[in-house]
Structure formats: C-alpha cells, structure tokens
Amino acid sequence: MKFTKATNYALHTMLALVESSAVKPIGVQQLAEAQGVSPTYLSKILTRLVKAGMIESASGANGGYRISRNKDDITFLDIIQAIEGSASLFECDFVHGEECLIQAVMKDAEEKMESHLKSMKIKDLIRK
Amino acid sequence: MKFTKATNYALHTMLALVESSAVKPIGVQQLAEAQGVSPTYLSKILTRLVKAGMIESASGANGGYRISRNKDDITFLDIIQAIEGSASLFECDFVHGEECLIQAVMKDAEEKMESHLKSMKIKDLIRK
DNA sequence: ATATTATGGATAATAAAAGTCTTTGAATAA
DNA sequence: TTATTCAAAGACTTTTATTATCCATAATAT
C-alpha cells in the first residue's frame, strides 16, 4: 500500500499554485517541467483538481491553471481525496455474522490519519 | 491506495489463531476454508507471519499454525507491517533544495494512523 | 513406510498505476 | 478571419504490484 505518484504531483502542483499569485494562470508546461513529469500526464491529474473545484483552468494564449477557492480552505485531505478517491482504505468482503470488528479498528486508524490531513492546509507550507 | 487483501487474510487468521487455544495447531486448510481463499496462497501469507515471529508452524500430521508470542504483545501494526512492509506510505523523490515539507506532513499523518494501530492488540477483539 | 502438512520457487492471471499520443475545442492575438 | 496557444478528453500502451496456481521438496506424526 502506497500513495500514488499522482498524489505527489497534485500536492506539489497545488503548493506551486498557492505560492504564486492567483492573478495570472501558470501553464501546465511550466508546472510539469518543475516536477519532471510529462505535461499531458500532469494535465490529466490537474483536471481532477479542477473538477473538485479547487483550481480553475483557462484555455488559450496566456491560459493555464490558478487557484480558485480561498487558499485557506484547501486542506491536504481535499487534494488527496480528489486524486485517490474517498473510499475506505480497508474493505472486508467476508460475511461474518455481525459487523467486522477488524474493519472497525482499521477504520478508526484511517480516521486518525484523515483528521490530521484535514487539519493541515496547503497554504501552511508557503515559505516566507 | 488500498490495504491489500493479503493484510485482510492475515488479520482474520491471526484473530482465529488467538481465539483458539495455543496448544494444538490449526491447519492452513481449515483456516483457508473459513475465509474462502486457497490454502496455498494463505500459506504464503502465513509464512511471512512466521518469519516475523508471531506464529509458529508445525509440519507433518496434526501440524499447522499456532500463536507463538504472548497474545498481549501482538498489535494490529505488527501484523500489517509483516505483510505490507514498513516503508513510508508517501515517498517524495524530487530533489528540492531542502527537505520536502509535503513529505513531512504526510509522515505525520501516517504516524497518527500507526500509533492507533499500535495501540490496538489483536486479542482485544476476542468475542466473549 | 506412508500419509499429512508446511515451505519455496516458478510462473500465470488480473488489476491498478503511470505514462504516451492524438484529436478536439476554447481563448487569444495578429 | 486566421493562426497560435493552450487545456480537455479518449484511446492506447507500458510497467508494476497483487493475487493467485502448480509442483517439487522437506519435515513430522502414526
């Protein structure tokens, strides 16, 4: 079990966008180059962030991506779930008599992690 | 990102072994049947638990697996790490100037989850 | 000895992640 | 209007990890 690289790309891109002014957009070319990933692949990832409503895209000359929501609102959890989805990390398919106690423990553990990711906002990382 | 099925098999097997007496071993056949998984595959998983020192195996007639360590010592985290390994869930390969702040946040989050998994012992789930 | 049971290696099947290529369509600039 | 710049989308391909299966071997009790 690992977080996907896509999540890493998304987090780094969001940090870059939050650090830059929200006025003029940054092209995917530039964002991709900074991370050593292909522009087409990165754009696929960024499209998911657009759909989640945390960034905006602009086509055409001088287009690109910029932050849309209030910077203060965007948490690590938001970004991660936009990429990885929000399904539970642990799924027990067996049909026990009752509810699965193991799954309950796993879910609690997961929630500890999530609550930390929810408390951390991406803008907290901006270097002064 | 998901926990593997192997982890689910391992957790359920450990629960079964802890619930049963530690005197006579249970065959992989029986354990596998209870979970609807093939004995050969389950035995591969259990071998990892053996190597991690939490269960013992006995070959030959009337052989099988039984708990080895003190039940009280075996945590969810022990079992999960025996199967999934103990590498970090998030790895940032980029070469930033300094240390990666994003990775630091992710590591903290992971540790929240781990500390919960470490606090929960498998024997806590035994049905009375 | 023989039946029973775990171990280990090789390999196959499946699924998920990571990435490419190409086309389309929107926006701008000339 | 036309050419240029850029994101979006879909169809693929490649790579990697997971989930197995099969078979030969080693250990052990009866």
Side-chain angles (χ1 to χ4, degrees):
Chain A
M1 170 169 90
K2 285 261 181 187
F3 284 99
T4 62
K5 286 189 186 182
T7 290
N8 194 14
Y9 294 140
L11 287 168
H12 278 83
T13 302
M14 285 303 293
L15 180 54
L17 291 179
V18 165
E19 274 178 336
S20 88
S21 121
V23 185
K24 77 185 252 194
I26 305 181
V28 73
Q29 205 102 10
Q30 186 182 336
L31 292 165
E33 197 168 352
Q35 297 182 59
V37 61
S38 83
T40 35
Y41 185 43
L42 185 61
S43 98
K44 257 193 175 35
I45 293 166
L46 297 192
T47 296
R48 291 201 251 174
L49 299 179
V50 170
K51 286 186 174 149
M54 59 188 83
I55 60 178
E56 285 174 356
S57 66
S59 290
N62 302 322
Y65 297 90
R66 64 167 166 265
I67 211 87
S68 69
R69 279 164 48 187
N70 190 331
K71 295 180 188 187
D72 302 4
D73 293 347
I74 302 174
T75 69
F76 271 70
L77 186 62
D78 291 330
I79 300 167
I80 292 167
Q81 289 193 334
I83 304 301
E84 307 259 352
S86 49
S88 189
L89 296 186
F90 185 88
E91 220 76 59
C92 182
D93 302 331
F94 308 154
V95 270
H96 315 66
E98 326 99 61
E99 184 200 12
C100 180
L101 296 176
I102 289 172
Q103 168 133 21
V105 170
M106 298 301 285
K107 190 174 177 187
D108 283 351
E110 191 183 338
E111 277 167 7
K112 303 279 183 191
M113 180 166 72
E114 286 189 354
S115 101
H116 186 253
L117 292 174
K118 193 169 185 174
S119 75
M120 295 296 298
K121 305 192 196 320
I122 194 72
K123 68 138 197 175
D124 295 341
L125 300 198
I126 297 178
R127 318 183 256 286
K128 306 288 157 41
Chain B
M1 172 169 87
K2 285 260 181 188
F3 283 99
T4 62
K5 286 189 186 182
T7 291
N8 195 14
Y9 294 141
L11 287 167
H12 278 84
T13 303
M14 285 303 293
L15 181 54
L17 292 179
V18 164
E19 274 178 336
S20 87
S21 120
V23 183
K24 78 185 254 198
I26 306 182
V28 75
Q29 205 101 11
Q30 185 182 336
L31 292 164
E33 199 167 352
Q35 297 182 59
V37 60
S38 82
T40 35
Y41 184 45
L42 185 61
S43 94
K44 276 209 161 26
I45 293 167
L46 297 192
T47 297
R48 292 201 251 174
L49 299 178
V50 169
K51 286 187 174 149
M54 58 187 86
I55 60 177
E56 285 173 358
S57 66
S59 287
N62 303 322
Y65 298 91
R66 64 167 168 265
I67 212 90
S68 71
R69 278 163 47 186
N70 190 330
K71 295 180 190 189
D72 301 3
D73 293 346
I74 302 174
T75 70
F76 271 70
L77 187 62
D78 292 330
I79 299 166
I80 292 167
Q81 289 193 334
I83 304 301
E84 307 259 353
S86 48
S88 188
L89 296 187
F90 185 88
E91 220 77 58
C92 182
D93 301 332
F94 308 154
V95 268
H96 315 66
E98 325 98 62
E99 184 199 13
C100 181
L101 296 176
I102 290 173
Q103 168 133 19
V105 171
M106 298 301 285
K107 190 175 177 188
D108 283 351
E110 191 183 339
E111 278 167 6
K112 303 280 184 191
M113 180 167 71
E114 286 190 353
S115 101
H116 186 254
L117 292 173
K118 193 169 185 173
S119 76
M120 295 295 298
K121 304 190 197 319
I122 193 73
K123 69 139 197 175
D124 295 341
L125 300 198
I126 297 179
R127 319 182 256 286
K128 303 291 156 41

